[in-house]
Amino acid sequence: MVNFICFLLWNLALLFAVRVGCWLVVCARPDLTLNGTRIFVGLMAIALAFDTAVTFLVFASAGGSWQAHNPSETYPDRAFAYALAALMALLLARHARRQDARRAHRGPAGAQAIETSPYSESTLPM
């Protein structure tokens, strides 16, 4: 369990670094459109593929002192940490998109709105 938490924390730190890096690049070059979540999910997929290859192709046939450390025992923790971090990134991005859509729908702060339907409680910003 400790390994899983450590792997998850490192992956979330990587998510933070990727998001901040993408934000800095977009601030410096507004003409670029980078999606930090997609980049992070891609990095997690590549990391999982390399981790799988190293665990089952390299260490599985390694002799000597590597036989005392069975890498396939900790592999499920690492794989789950990769998948959970990617899922959390996707859910956070979805939440942020919904928040932005709600803010855009309301209009700027202090703007007037006309009630269009008392039944649906919808408004039209002016």
Side-chain angles (χ1 to χ4, degrees), residues 2-100:
V2 172
N3 287 334
F4 168 73
I5 292 172
C6 289
F7 296 137
L8 184 61
L9 289 176
W10 277 111
N11 290 337
L12 293 177
L14 180 63
L15 170 62
F16 178 75
V18 167
R19 296 291 300 248
V20 167
C22 288
W23 177 75
L24 289 172
V25 168
V26 169
C27 285
R29 300 259 330 257
D31 57 325
L32 294 177
T33 55
L34 293 177
N35 188 337
T37 302
R38 288 184 183 166
I39 292 172
F40 177 74
V41 170
L43 284 174
M44 288 294 102
I46 292 169
L48 181 60
F50 279 126
D51 195 354
T52 303
V54 167
T55 299
F56 295 109
L57 298 177
V58 176
F59 291 123
S61 61
S65 63
W66 290 110
Q67 290 179 346
H69 307 287
N70 189 0
S72 60
E73 288 178 1
T74 58
Y75 175 76
D77 290 341
R78 292 190 309 267
F80 187 60
Y82 291 136
L84 186 60
L87 180 66
M88 288 174 68
L90 291 170
L91 289 174
L92 287 172
R94 181 176 182 233
H95 178 70
R97 274 195 314 271
R98 285 184 159 189
Q99 291 280 354
D100 290 344

Side-chain angles (χ1 to χ4, degrees), residues 104-117 121-126:
H105 179 68
R106 286 188 216 142
Q112 294 182 347
I114 300 171
E115 185 177 332
T116 57
S117 171
E121 297 178 4
S122 60
T123 58
L124 180 64
M126 291 181 68

